[in-house]
Structure formats: C-alpha cells, structure tokens
Amino acid sequence: MTPRFTALDTLDIRFPTSRDLDGSDAMNPDPDYSAAYVIVRTDEPGGHEGHGFAFTIGRGNDIQAAAIRALAPYLVGLPVPATLDDLGGLWRTLVHDSQLRWLGPEKGVMHMAISAVVNALWDLRAKREGKPVWRLLAELSPEEVVALVDFRYLSDALTPDEALAILRRAEPGKAERTARLLADGYPAYTTSPGWLGYDDDKLRRLCKEAIADGFTQIKLKVGADLADDIRRMRVAREVCGPDMRIAVDANQRWDVATAIAWIRELAPFDPWWVEEPTSPDDIGAHATIARAVSPIRVATGEHVHNRVMFKQFLQNRALSFLQLDAARVAGVNENIAILLLAAKFGVPVCPHAGGVGLCELVQHLSMFDYVAVSGTMEDRVIEYVDHLHEHFIDPVVIRDGRYVTPTTPGFGATMHPRSLAEHAYPDGLVWAVPA
Amino acid sequence: MTPRFTALDTLDIRFPTSRDLDGSDAMNPDPDYSAAYVIVRTDEPGGHEGHGFAFTIGRGNDIQAAAIRALAPYLVGLPVPATLDDLGGLWRTLVHDSQLRWLGPEKGVMHMAISAVVNALWDLRAKREGKPVWRLLAELSPEEVVALVDFRYLSDALTPDEALAILRRAEPGKAERTARLLADGYPAYTTSPGWLGYDDDKLRRLCKEAIADGFTQIKLKVGADLADDIRRMRVAREVCGPDMRIAVDANQRWDVATAIAWIRELAPFDPWWVEEPTSPDDIGAHATIARAVSPIRVATGEHVHNRVMFKQFLQNRALSFLQLDAARVAGVNENIAILLLAAKFGVPVCPHAGGVGLCELVQHLSMFDYVAVSGTMEDRVIEYVDHLHEHFIDPVVIRDGRYVTPTTPGFGATMHPRSLAEHAYPDGLVWAVPA
C-alpha cells in the first residue's frame, strides 16, 4: 500500500514575549512571537510527521492558521513518496491555484501559509531520508534542484540554464565544504543586545557577553529617536571596539530623505549595514538610499514577499546583503530560487532569523547555499537571537559565535508537545492564567 | 448619548460563476466571484449600517472573512461621529497595528480586510450625510482630503504640500464639473465580450452588442494561446471597425520576453492597451515591456497591492493607465493617495471593476477624481462587466456606454438581504442544492 497524506493539523501557538520587551523595535513595540503551526500526517505505519509553521508576532495568528488549514484539501489523499519526490510540482499546485492566488498573489497570509506547508513537507522528506534538510538539498543533483524552482517571472534575470550552470560550478569541492561545515559550523551574528526596549546598562552588558561568546557581529535596533540611537551606537562601539561589525536595523521606519539623513548621523560609528531603512516594497527607495549612504551598505529581506521582489532588488542594486526569511516566501523551494538569484548577482545571503524557530530553519538554507550554491561563507552570517529555542526538540546550537551544523534528520522545526500544549492560544496554560 | 459601533458582522458570500465560464481568463479559468462581506453596525436609534466587502474569486473567501472579523476589536466601542470624522486616523490604526502588520505588511489578505472595513465606514458616513461617496469626497476641502492620506513612504514622490497644490488647482470649476458629471455620467468600457471561455460566435455577437450599447472601448482576454488570440483579435477588429478601442488583458501570464513577442504579434490589430502582461509585483518588467511595445501602452493595477507599489510604477513609467481596485488596497483612503500620485505623474486612472460589486464602488472614485483631483475624463474609462449587479440595492446604471452618476447616499455596496442569504457559503440555497 502506498502511504498517503491523511491530515494537516494546525495549531495557534503564541509566546507572551511582549511582557518582557524582547523583540521590541521601532515598528514592533510589543510582539508576541507566534507560530501558526502545522503537522502533516500520513498513514504510513510507524511513519514520521512533517512539522512546519508560519511565524507571526501575535494578533492574526489565527487568520494565518486558517490559511494553512485551507491547504489541507490539496494534500490529503496524495501519495506520500511521489509527492515528496516532486515538491516542485506541489509548490506550483499550491502557489498557482486559480482561486487562492487572488488572495495574494504570492504574498501575505496565503503565501506564508504555503511556506508552512512546504517547509513541513521538506521536514517530512528529510526525516524519511534520515538527513538534515541542508544535507538532503546539498546532495540533490543540479537538475533536481532546478526542478524545484518555478522560474516564472524570473527569466529576465535567471534562466533554468543559468541556474544549472551556477549549481554545476559548485559541484567540485562539495565534499570538502561539507566536511568543513561539519567541523566549523557557520558564522552567526547576534541581535540580542540591541532591542529598543533595553536600557544602556543592559546594552553594555549584552555587548560584553556577545564578545565573550565569540560573535564578530552584533545588531542594534534604531529608528525611534535619533539622539537615543546615537547614544546607543556610541555605547556599543565603545564596548565592542573598532573590529566588531555593528549592524543597525530601522525596521521600515523611514522615508527616503529621513533614512539618508539619519544614517549619515550614525556613520561616525561605522555601521556594517543598515537594515530595512524603509518600506520593504520600495525597491526604488532602497536603491536611492544605498547610493546615498555608500559605503554603508543596505540589507533587507525579512518582509520581501517573493522571488519577483528579490529579483528586482538585485537588478536595481538596492541591497548589498539579502536577508531571506524561511517562512515569509513560499518555503524551501522559493528560497532556493532566491539563493540562485543572489548567487547570480554575487550578493551575500544573510538570513533573517529570531522570532520563534526561524534560526532552526534558516541555518539549513545557508548551509545548503555554502555547500551547493555560492560555495562561500565570505561576508555571510546567519542572524541569531537567543529566544525560545528551548521549545524545540532539536534547537540550534551556537558555539564560538557560529551555528553548529545540525546532523539530526529533518528541518528542526518540531516543537516539544508540552510547549505546543502550554502555548496554545487562547486555552493553553500560558494564556489561560493571567501573567 | 454618543452612538457607538456595536458590531462588525462578516458573511462569506459566493456566486457560482465558474459554472458558466463567466470571468474566465488565462490565469483564472474558473472563478466563483465572491465577497467577504462586512456589515458595520452601531447603536444609533434608526441609524444606518455600513456595508463593504473584499472581493475574492472563491476558495479562501472564508480566510478573507476571518481577517475582516479580526478587525472588530479595533472598531467596536468607538464613538461613531468622531471616528467617521477622522477616517485618516482610523486607517492608520488599522494599517499600522504593531502585530497585524506582520501579516502583510500592507498587502494580501490583511490589507484587503482593511479595505472592506474602511469602505464600509465610508458607506456609513455617506449614508449619514445623505450623499453618494463621490460627492461626499468631492465636497471635502483640500486640507480634509490630505488628512485622509498616509504619506509614509510617499514623500520621495508626493508630499502633503504637493497633494494640497493638486487639490487646490482643481477647486475652480468643481461646480461646473459636478453638473457635467450629473448630466453626462462617466465613460465606461466593457469586458463582457472578451472572456477566454467564449467561442468566436459569442465574441462576435457581444462585440456587436457593445457597439449597439454605445461603448467606444472593449477588452479581450489573451495570453493562453497565441493563435487563438490573433484569431479573436481579428474577429473583434473586423466586427468593431478601426475606431473602437480594443484593449487586451493577459492577466499576468507572461515573462518579459514572451510578453514583448506576443504583444508584437497582436500589434497589427491596434490594441489600445495591454493589461497585466506579467507579475503585478514586477515594476521593472513592466517598464521594460512598456518601452519595447510602445506605442502600445501598458495598463496594470488590479493586483498592485498598495500605494508604495503604485508610486514605483509611476516613477518608472511602467504603466500608462493606472487601474486601481476598490478593494485590493486599503480602501478609499489609500485610493485617494493613488489618485493624487496619478495626478502628480499625469497618468489616467482607469479603474479595475467587474467581479462582484466592484463597478458599484469604483465609479465613486473616478467621479471624485474628475470633480476634485485630475479634473478631466480624457482617456479615462471605468471598466464595466454586466455580471451580478442584480444583487445590489443600488446597482450601477450604464447608458450609452457611460456610467450614470449615482445620487443615492452611500457607496453602493449594499446587497439585497435575499442575495446575501441565498449565496451564503456553504449553506445558502445556491450552494446547498447542487447545480
């Protein structure tokens, strides 16, 4: 009997992070980090579950879960092996559904729902094959990788043949890079010191901890008040010294002119990049800002909603660091397209992470990129935030400022059953009992 | 006692339009035109209700309704008059909510939900003031109009002062234009002949009807098969003669190279515009296509998700006709921003309509534009599709190929209670009884 998909269960999981101002920034003062969580089930005797989620910051997580639930009819009843062997095909079915696509197209709640399901299927496939996702992807042939990507709307920047050429160029040295990755891990940077809600003493203490922990890059949230930003940037630079890379992140707070003026005020403290200076939809504004504040470089991506937008950011030299997100675009498949685009344009990918479970996911994408796409870690770092990892069965491990390469099968997105139960909204223990 | 908002009721309303291939195009072969419908209620004795909706094409309409429902806590309990007098303030509250905005930001399901609520509030305000929305807007002062607009992310293209100047320039002649509008209505074009699912005989017959009905522009869906498109375009041109404007609409079907090649094949039949040649997110691709196929002009907008995207389309000369949608961006307020941007760049606005109830809504926006913003109808037309108007209490009226200017109070979005009951999904009569 061919095993089939039997269910796509969704859970509304929320963490009351706003109670401690963790994750506070200029646009998100009070996030409750949340996961619209999905468990893909099959009828395979003794078989695995696929776990995935869309990340949100609180209110609306129920809408996100409803959108994931709407995808169940597209999966339930399909044969498991054939579906997992053609996730490119399933991706197209979900993304191009003739009625659901109106809700995007390819953006927002519906697209994030697809990310949750696609990532859960990759988790399931990797568990079945007994490999972490990064290795599963890295061991695919260039042809198999290209078949995962939808090149619609990309051909003016990247054709399937060009993608194949990029992947083939990376074939030599894969074994060596895999060995190096397993030995040394992948560079991380930490955002933990820099939340806006923290006072200077806490900032100072956390900067020292970042140095002691071996990080070579930190990130500060900015954009709410210029005088505060200058003071905090001075504190951070004093504590960290001239060699630490200090990125700043405005979380979309500014218009073009404000962004340029504000960044110039921070320039004396040598910011490594300025992140999300303005609307994530505004390719032209990013390009203008990038030209004006050079040599300070612009980074963005966590809210860039699909490969077509990333293509334009790259075509317009509107970003110098591409910050893909594991659960904003439609999952692994679309992120492979984005990694290939970045490789084509020679732009380093430095994934967005933090939130809940995003570190666990994105490490696989960067590690696949290193082994099989760009072939380099130069100027590449994965964001690290030390929140909420305890809820995952296979949490990320950071050592000497680097992600330790995961070796357990799957995508790392599986939460402890107890965490799921306690944080279920609104009936879980954490929410039912007032703080 | 100050009246307050008491409820925001949502309904999942779907019409089985896929049964007749009405609305079929290259990307949407089987739409079931649907409305995630909202009724805003107050405790005002004998008071009005505000009606609005987000338009979808079937599956997912329940998700859209859930997203609208999530906005109830932001409205229920607020005082009615003060809220309606500051819809710019309420718009900012909804769009910039620190947690909900993660679900967009400013795009997709959550943004469309805001459009439904904002438009319902305009409906309510207009009913309370005893005016159609177009007149209510046209009678606001330039300062009041500017206060409705969120200029965040627009200032590199349009400042509040520039917007004021545009509106003040239109002040003289308002009375004269209002009179002319009431006498002559506003030009329409018809998409009814051109759906892909219709055979040549039906196309021919409907073209003749369009001429007889006084239309001077029709639109044909294209993009599925080039030979078919050439044949259908030839039929239409033969029947309509050289003076009829025949627009073509590819509904996002093409990549850049395909678009350019395909449009050139249709060029001998003199298409008036080519609509949605590629991804609605792809500003650069539209600009490239526009340069390559000139003098044929590019139109887009029904899937352009917010004012920041429209700003870039205009800055890049990527469209020559701006097709705003009443319920894709966040309602009247954001569409005012878009009308002001279009006026600044001198681009005609030709709204997207059809679906269910979109004609009823957009006529107010174009008429406001004529009286108080651009001051002209030159090269401006509102799409008209003759479907589903019978479900509205104040349906649009078309006479001699023009929209008859509505004079009844409100936004025209109110459906008959019986239509709402019969088309409720999945329990209404239309859905509960198999076709």
PDB file of all heavy atoms in Angstrom, chain A residues 56-85:
ATOM      1  N   THR A  56       4.395  34.640  13.065  1.00  0.00           N
ATOM      2  CA  THR A  56       3.742  35.949  13.143  1.00  0.00           C
ATOM      3  C   THR A  56       4.131  36.573  14.480  1.00  0.00           C
ATOM      4  O   THR A  56       4.865  35.955  15.262  1.00  0.00           O
ATOM      5  CB  THR A  56       2.199  35.862  13.043  1.00  0.00           C
ATOM      6  OG1 THR A  56       1.658  35.512  14.319  1.00  0.00           O
ATOM      7  CG2 THR A  56       1.755  34.846  11.996  1.00  0.00           C
ATOM      8  N   ILE A  57       3.635  37.760  14.754  1.00  0.00           N
ATOM      9  CA  ILE A  57       4.006  38.377  16.034  1.00  0.00           C
ATOM     10  C   ILE A  57       2.796  38.613  16.919  1.00  0.00           C
ATOM     11  O   ILE A  57       2.779  39.527  17.728  1.00  0.00           O
ATOM     12  CB  ILE A  57       4.862  39.640  15.844  1.00  0.00           C
ATOM     13  CG1 ILE A  57       4.154  40.696  15.026  1.00  0.00           C
ATOM     14  CG2 ILE A  57       6.190  39.278  15.185  1.00  0.00           C
ATOM     15  CD1 ILE A  57       4.951  42.016  14.952  1.00  0.00           C
ATOM     16  N   GLY A  58       1.783  37.743  16.796  1.00  0.00           N
ATOM     17  CA  GLY A  58       0.695  37.780  17.765  1.00  0.00           C
ATOM     18  C   GLY A  58      -0.666  37.821  17.134  1.00  0.00           C
ATOM     19  O   GLY A  58      -1.104  36.855  16.526  1.00  0.00           O
ATOM     20  N   ARG A  59      -1.330  38.962  17.264  1.00  0.00           N
ATOM     21  CA  ARG A  59      -2.679  39.063  16.711  1.00  0.00           C
ATOM     22  C   ARG A  59      -2.665  38.672  15.232  1.00  0.00           C
ATOM     23  O   ARG A  59      -1.752  39.046  14.496  1.00  0.00           O
ATOM     24  CB  ARG A  59      -3.201  40.500  16.863  1.00  0.00           C
ATOM     25  CG  ARG A  59      -3.574  40.880  18.284  1.00  0.00           C
ATOM     26  CD  ARG A  59      -4.203  42.276  18.367  1.00  0.00           C
ATOM     27  NE  ARG A  59      -3.284  43.362  18.061  1.00  0.00           N
ATOM     28  CZ  ARG A  59      -2.404  43.884  18.917  1.00  0.00           C
ATOM     29  NH1 ARG A  59      -2.304  43.407  20.147  1.00  0.00           N
ATOM     30  NH2 ARG A  59      -1.619  44.876  18.545  1.00  0.00           N
ATOM     31  N   GLY A  60      -3.691  37.951  14.832  1.00  0.00           N
ATOM     32  CA  GLY A  60      -3.753  37.492  13.452  1.00  0.00           C
ATOM     33  C   GLY A  60      -3.173  36.101  13.254  1.00  0.00           C
ATOM     34  O   GLY A  60      -3.287  35.538  12.170  1.00  0.00           O
ATOM     35  N   ASN A  61      -2.574  35.543  14.297  1.00  0.00           N
ATOM     36  CA  ASN A  61      -2.026  34.192  14.135  1.00  0.00           C
ATOM     37  C   ASN A  61      -3.134  33.186  13.827  1.00  0.00           C
ATOM     38  O   ASN A  61      -2.898  32.180  13.157  1.00  0.00           O
ATOM     39  CB  ASN A  61      -1.270  33.778  15.403  1.00  0.00           C
ATOM     40  CG  ASN A  61      -0.279  32.661  15.159  1.00  0.00           C
ATOM     41  OD1 ASN A  61       0.530  32.728  14.225  1.00  0.00           O
ATOM     42  ND2 ASN A  61      -0.339  31.613  15.970  1.00  0.00           N
ATOM     43  N   ASP A  62      -4.342  33.477  14.292  1.00  0.00           N
ATOM     44  CA  ASP A  62      -5.483  32.613  13.976  1.00  0.00           C
ATOM     45  C   ASP A  62      -5.843  32.686  12.488  1.00  0.00           C
ATOM     46  O   ASP A  62      -6.215  31.671  11.884  1.00  0.00           O
ATOM     47  CB  ASP A  62      -6.692  32.978  14.853  1.00  0.00           C
ATOM     48  CG  ASP A  62      -6.974  34.486  14.848  1.00  0.00           C
ATOM     49  OD1 ASP A  62      -6.055  35.285  14.582  1.00  0.00           O
ATOM     50  OD2 ASP A  62      -8.131  34.857  15.121  1.00  0.00           O
ATOM     51  N   ILE A  63      -5.741  33.867  11.915  1.00  0.00           N
ATOM     52  CA  ILE A  63      -6.000  34.012  10.473  1.00  0.00           C
ATOM     53  C   ILE A  63      -4.960  33.208   9.696  1.00  0.00           C
ATOM     54  O   ILE A  63      -5.266  32.492   8.737  1.00  0.00           O
ATOM     55  CB  ILE A  63      -5.920  35.491  10.046  1.00  0.00           C
ATOM     56  CG1 ILE A  63      -6.886  36.340  10.864  1.00  0.00           C
ATOM     57  CG2 ILE A  63      -6.172  35.635   8.559  1.00  0.00           C
ATOM     58  CD1 ILE A  63      -6.646  37.835  10.725  1.00  0.00           C
ATOM     59  N   GLN A  64      -3.716  33.327  10.152  1.00  0.00           N
ATOM     60  CA  GLN A  64      -2.634  32.593   9.494  1.00  0.00           C
ATOM     61  C   GLN A  64      -2.885  31.084   9.577  1.00  0.00           C
ATOM     62  O   GLN A  64      -2.676  30.351   8.605  1.00  0.00           O
ATOM     63  CB  GLN A  64      -1.309  32.981  10.158  1.00  0.00           C
ATOM     64  CG  GLN A  64      -0.089  32.473   9.446  1.00  0.00           C
ATOM     65  CD  GLN A  64      -0.011  32.970   8.019  1.00  0.00           C
ATOM     66  OE1 GLN A  64       0.064  34.155   7.758  1.00  0.00           O
ATOM     67  NE2 GLN A  64      -0.047  32.054   7.062  1.00  0.00           N
ATOM     68  N   ALA A  65      -3.340  30.630  10.731  1.00  0.00           N
ATOM     69  CA  ALA A  65      -3.626  29.200  10.883  1.00  0.00           C
ATOM     70  C   ALA A  65      -4.787  28.779   9.975  1.00  0.00           C
ATOM     71  O   ALA A  65      -4.765  27.697   9.381  1.00  0.00           O
ATOM     72  CB  ALA A  65      -3.940  28.878  12.342  1.00  0.00           C
ATOM     73  N   ALA A  66      -5.789  29.648   9.851  1.00  0.00           N
ATOM     74  CA  ALA A  66      -6.924  29.337   8.967  1.00  0.00           C
ATOM     75  C   ALA A  66      -6.459  29.204   7.524  1.00  0.00           C
ATOM     76  O   ALA A  66      -6.941  28.343   6.769  1.00  0.00           O
ATOM     77  CB  ALA A  66      -7.997  30.417   9.087  1.00  0.00           C
ATOM     78  N   ALA A  67      -5.513  30.041   7.141  1.00  0.00           N
ATOM     79  CA  ALA A  67      -5.000  29.979   5.764  1.00  0.00           C
ATOM     80  C   ALA A  67      -4.247  28.677   5.525  1.00  0.00           C
ATOM     81  O   ALA A  67      -4.325  28.078   4.447  1.00  0.00           O
ATOM     82  CB  ALA A  67      -4.099  31.183   5.482  1.00  0.00           C
ATOM     83  N   ILE A  68      -3.519  28.218   6.520  1.00  0.00           N
ATOM     84  CA  ILE A  68      -2.825  26.926   6.379  1.00  0.00           C
ATOM     85  C   ILE A  68      -3.852  25.801   6.250  1.00  0.00           C
ATOM     86  O   ILE A  68      -3.728  24.913   5.398  1.00  0.00           O
ATOM     87  CB  ILE A  68      -1.896  26.680   7.582  1.00  0.00           C
ATOM     88  CG1 ILE A  68      -0.779  27.734   7.612  1.00  0.00           C
ATOM     89  CG2 ILE A  68      -1.310  25.272   7.539  1.00  0.00           C
ATOM     90  CD1 ILE A  68       0.073  27.704   8.868  1.00  0.00           C
ATOM     91  N   ARG A  69      -4.885  25.869   7.083  1.00  0.00           N
ATOM     92  CA  ARG A  69      -5.922  24.840   7.067  1.00  0.00           C
ATOM     93  C   ARG A  69      -6.576  24.738   5.683  1.00  0.00           C
ATOM     94  O   ARG A  69      -6.959  23.664   5.241  1.00  0.00           O
ATOM     95  CB  ARG A  69      -6.974  25.169   8.126  1.00  0.00           C
ATOM     96  CG  ARG A  69      -7.468  23.966   8.867  1.00  0.00           C
ATOM     97  CD  ARG A  69      -8.093  24.280  10.231  1.00  0.00           C
ATOM     98  NE  ARG A  69      -8.643  25.587  10.406  1.00  0.00           N
ATOM     99  CZ  ARG A  69      -8.204  26.467  11.322  1.00  0.00           C
ATOM    100  NH1 ARG A  69      -7.197  26.159  12.127  1.00  0.00           N
ATOM    101  NH2 ARG A  69      -8.759  27.647  11.439  1.00  0.00           N
ATOM    102  N   ALA A  70      -6.667  25.867   4.997  1.00  0.00           N
ATOM    103  CA  ALA A  70      -7.298  25.876   3.674  1.00  0.00           C
ATOM    104  C   ALA A  70      -6.506  25.077   2.643  1.00  0.00           C
ATOM    105  O   ALA A  70      -7.016  24.769   1.564  1.00  0.00           O
ATOM    106  CB  ALA A  70      -7.474  27.320   3.196  1.00  0.00           C
ATOM    107  N   LEU A  71      -5.270  24.736   2.970  1.00  0.00           N
ATOM    108  CA  LEU A  71      -4.445  23.982   2.025  1.00  0.00           C
ATOM    109  C   LEU A  71      -4.596  22.475   2.196  1.00  0.00           C
ATOM    110  O   LEU A  71      -4.106  21.696   1.372  1.00  0.00           O
ATOM    111  CB  LEU A  71      -2.977  24.393   2.172  1.00  0.00           C
ATOM    112  CG  LEU A  71      -2.709  25.870   1.863  1.00  0.00           C
ATOM    113  CD1 LEU A  71      -1.278  26.242   2.214  1.00  0.00           C
ATOM    114  CD2 LEU A  71      -3.009  26.176   0.395  1.00  0.00           C
ATOM    115  N   ALA A  72      -5.265  22.049   3.249  1.00  0.00           N
ATOM    116  CA  ALA A  72      -5.405  20.608   3.501  1.00  0.00           C
ATOM    117  C   ALA A  72      -5.984  19.846   2.312  1.00  0.00           C
ATOM    118  O   ALA A  72      -5.465  18.771   1.951  1.00  0.00           O
ATOM    119  CB  ALA A  72      -6.255  20.386   4.762  1.00  0.00           C
ATOM    120  N   PRO A  73      -7.031  20.361   1.653  1.00  0.00           N
ATOM    121  CA  PRO A  73      -7.608  19.584   0.545  1.00  0.00           C
ATOM    122  C   PRO A  73      -6.633  19.322  -0.602  1.00  0.00           C
ATOM    123  O   PRO A  73      -6.842  18.398  -1.383  1.00  0.00           O
ATOM    124  CB  PRO A  73      -8.776  20.456   0.061  1.00  0.00           C
ATOM    125  CG  PRO A  73      -9.087  21.368   1.195  1.00  0.00           C
ATOM    126  CD  PRO A  73      -7.788  21.595   1.919  1.00  0.00           C
ATOM    127  N   TYR A  74      -5.590  20.157  -0.691  1.00  0.00           N
ATOM    128  CA  TYR A  74      -4.625  19.986  -1.776  1.00  0.00           C
ATOM    129  C   TYR A  74      -3.629  18.871  -1.479  1.00  0.00           C
ATOM    130  O   TYR A  74      -2.911  18.430  -2.364  1.00  0.00           O
ATOM    131  CB  TYR A  74      -3.867  21.298  -2.028  1.00  0.00           C
ATOM    132  CG  TYR A  74      -4.768  22.414  -2.451  1.00  0.00           C
ATOM    133  CD1 TYR A  74      -5.510  23.136  -1.522  1.00  0.00           C
ATOM    134  CD2 TYR A  74      -4.923  22.727  -3.800  1.00  0.00           C
ATOM    135  CE1 TYR A  74      -6.370  24.149  -1.912  1.00  0.00           C
ATOM    136  CE2 TYR A  74      -5.775  23.737  -4.200  1.00  0.00           C
ATOM    137  CZ  TYR A  74      -6.502  24.448  -3.251  1.00  0.00           C
ATOM    138  OH  TYR A  74      -7.352  25.434  -3.646  1.00  0.00           O
ATOM    139  N   LEU A  75      -3.590  18.442  -0.221  1.00  0.00           N
ATOM    140  CA  LEU A  75      -2.561  17.473   0.186  1.00  0.00           C
ATOM    141  C   LEU A  75      -3.169  16.142   0.615  1.00  0.00           C
ATOM    142  O   LEU A  75      -2.652  15.076   0.238  1.00  0.00           O
ATOM    143  CB  LEU A  75      -1.747  18.071   1.343  1.00  0.00           C
ATOM    144  CG  LEU A  75      -0.422  17.380   1.644  1.00  0.00           C
ATOM    145  CD1 LEU A  75       0.525  17.507   0.463  1.00  0.00           C
ATOM    146  CD2 LEU A  75       0.206  17.962   2.905  1.00  0.00           C
ATOM    147  N   VAL A  76      -4.242  16.221   1.371  1.00  0.00           N
ATOM    148  CA  VAL A  76      -4.805  14.995   1.936  1.00  0.00           C
ATOM    149  C   VAL A  76      -5.240  14.055   0.808  1.00  0.00           C
ATOM    150  O   VAL A  76      -5.929  14.472  -0.127  1.00  0.00           O
ATOM    151  CB  VAL A  76      -5.987  15.330   2.874  1.00  0.00           C
ATOM    152  CG1 VAL A  76      -6.718  14.054   3.294  1.00  0.00           C
ATOM    153  CG2 VAL A  76      -5.484  16.084   4.088  1.00  0.00           C
ATOM    154  N   GLY A  77      -4.791  12.810   0.906  1.00  0.00           N
ATOM    155  CA  GLY A  77      -5.117  11.819  -0.110  1.00  0.00           C
ATOM    156  C   GLY A  77      -4.011  11.589  -1.120  1.00  0.00           C
ATOM    157  O   GLY A  77      -3.979  10.551  -1.791  1.00  0.00           O
ATOM    158  N   LEU A  78      -3.084  12.532  -1.248  1.00  0.00           N
ATOM    159  CA  LEU A  78      -1.984  12.348  -2.206  1.00  0.00           C
ATOM    160  C   LEU A  78      -1.034  11.267  -1.691  1.00  0.00           C
ATOM    161  O   LEU A  78      -0.860  11.095  -0.485  1.00  0.00           O
ATOM    162  CB  LEU A  78      -1.195  13.643  -2.388  1.00  0.00           C
ATOM    163  CG  LEU A  78      -1.884  14.812  -3.088  1.00  0.00           C
ATOM    164  CD1 LEU A  78      -0.879  15.950  -3.256  1.00  0.00           C
ATOM    165  CD2 LEU A  78      -2.443  14.403  -4.434  1.00  0.00           C
ATOM    166  N   PRO A  79      -0.389  10.540  -2.622  1.00  0.00           N
ATOM    167  CA  PRO A  79       0.608   9.541  -2.209  1.00  0.00           C
ATOM    168  C   PRO A  79       1.855  10.225  -1.671  1.00  0.00           C
ATOM    169  O   PRO A  79       2.353  11.191  -2.256  1.00  0.00           O
ATOM    170  CB  PRO A  79       0.907   8.796  -3.522  1.00  0.00           C
ATOM    171  CG  PRO A  79       0.573   9.763  -4.591  1.00  0.00           C
ATOM    172  CD  PRO A  79      -0.536  10.637  -4.081  1.00  0.00           C
ATOM    173  N   VAL A  80       2.362   9.731  -0.562  1.00  0.00           N
ATOM    174  CA  VAL A  80       3.485  10.397   0.111  1.00  0.00           C
ATOM    175  C   VAL A  80       4.767  10.375  -0.719  1.00  0.00           C
ATOM    176  O   VAL A  80       5.366  11.433  -0.962  1.00  0.00           O
ATOM    177  CB  VAL A  80       3.708   9.783   1.513  1.00  0.00           C
ATOM    178  CG1 VAL A  80       4.964  10.366   2.157  1.00  0.00           C
ATOM    179  CG2 VAL A  80       2.488  10.034   2.402  1.00  0.00           C
ATOM    180  N   PRO A  81       5.236   9.200  -1.173  1.00  0.00           N
ATOM    181  CA  PRO A  81       6.548   9.219  -1.844  1.00  0.00           C
ATOM    182  C   PRO A  81       6.552  10.047  -3.127  1.00  0.00           C
ATOM    183  O   PRO A  81       7.467  10.853  -3.342  1.00  0.00           O
ATOM    184  CB  PRO A  81       6.802   7.733  -2.148  1.00  0.00           C
ATOM    185  CG  PRO A  81       5.888   6.976  -1.239  1.00  0.00           C
ATOM    186  CD  PRO A  81       4.683   7.846  -1.037  1.00  0.00           C
ATOM    187  N   ALA A  82       5.539   9.897  -3.951  1.00  0.00           N
ATOM    188  CA  ALA A  82       5.530  10.632  -5.224  1.00  0.00           C
ATOM    189  C   ALA A  82       5.428  12.138  -4.973  1.00  0.00           C
ATOM    190  O   ALA A  82       6.044  12.938  -5.699  1.00  0.00           O
ATOM    191  CB  ALA A  82       4.359  10.153  -6.086  1.00  0.00           C
ATOM    192  N   THR A  83       4.687  12.515  -3.962  1.00  0.00           N
ATOM    193  CA  THR A  83       4.557  13.941  -3.663  1.00  0.00           C
ATOM    194  C   THR A  83       5.881  14.513  -3.171  1.00  0.00           C
ATOM    195  O   THR A  83       6.313  15.586  -3.616  1.00  0.00           O
ATOM    196  CB  THR A  83       3.462  14.153  -2.585  1.00  0.00           C
ATOM    197  OG1 THR A  83       2.250  13.575  -3.067  1.00  0.00           O
ATOM    198  CG2 THR A  83       3.265  15.628  -2.303  1.00  0.00           C
ATOM    199  N   LEU A  84       6.526  13.786  -2.266  1.00  0.00           N
ATOM    200  CA  LEU A  84       7.803  14.290  -1.727  1.00  0.00           C
ATOM    201  C   LEU A  84       8.896  14.283  -2.789  1.00  0.00           C
ATOM    202  O   LEU A  84       9.840  15.068  -2.708  1.00  0.00           O
ATOM    203  CB  LEU A  84       8.218  13.449  -0.514  1.00  0.00           C
ATOM    204  CG  LEU A  84       7.278  13.540   0.699  1.00  0.00           C
ATOM    205  CD1 LEU A  84       7.814  12.680   1.835  1.00  0.00           C
ATOM    206  CD2 LEU A  84       7.099  14.987   1.167  1.00  0.00           C
ATOM    207  N   ASP A  85       8.776  13.392  -3.758  1.00  0.00           N
ATOM    208  CA  ASP A  85       9.775  13.361  -4.829  1.00  0.00           C
ATOM    209  C   ASP A  85       9.571  14.466  -5.853  1.00  0.00           C
ATOM    210  O   ASP A  85      10.427  14.689  -6.703  1.00  0.00           O
ATOM    211  CB  ASP A  85       9.730  12.004  -5.553  1.00  0.00           C
ATOM    212  CG  ASP A  85      10.373  10.907  -4.718  1.00  0.00           C
ATOM    213  OD1 ASP A  85      11.061  11.236  -3.719  1.00  0.00           O
ATOM    214  OD2 ASP A  85      10.184   9.729  -5.048  1.00  0.00           O
TER     215      ASP A  85
END
